Amino acid sequence: MVKVLIVDDHQVLIDGIKALFELNDDIDICCEALTGQLAIDTALAQDIDVVLLDINLPDVSGFEVCKAIKEK
């Protein structure tokens, strides 16, 4: 099973993506984050396979989030 973290500052978008992936038994939306820092903390604390990441976040750029996760 593929474990996915969804990162976006709009909960309605996260909910829509989760609804689409619920149709697939091979994908587990195990985590979500509304901010960049929460995304970094969550990704480092969990065993995540895929991160769906918004680039425009209110606190940290999605590019910086990606870089921080990749470095760890």
Side-chain angles (χ1 to χ4, degrees):
M1 179 162 303
V2 178
K3 295 180 183 178
V4 178
L5 164 63
I6 301 175
V7 184
D8 197 287
D9 56 331
H10 298 95
Q11 186 65 48
V12 69
L13 184 62
I14 291 174
D15 293 342
I17 293 170
K18 284 172 63 174
L20 289 172
F21 282 122
E22 286 177 355
L23 303 173
N24 189 324
D25 293 335
D26 295 325
I27 297 174
D28 176 27
I29 306 298
C30 62
C31 307
E32 58 186 66
L34 294 169
T35 67
Q37 188 58 55
L38 183 57
I40 294 167
D41 296 343
T42 302
L44 298 180
Q46 301 287 326
D47 183 25
I48 303 294
D49 298 309
V50 175
V51 178
L52 295 178
L53 177 60
D54 183 7
I55 297 304
N56 296 314
L57 295 168
D59 60 340
V60 180
S61 160
F63 294 111
E64 292 299 319
V65 172
C66 183
K67 182 179 176 183
I69 292 171
K70 185 177 175 184
E71 287 176 353
K72 301 292 179 178

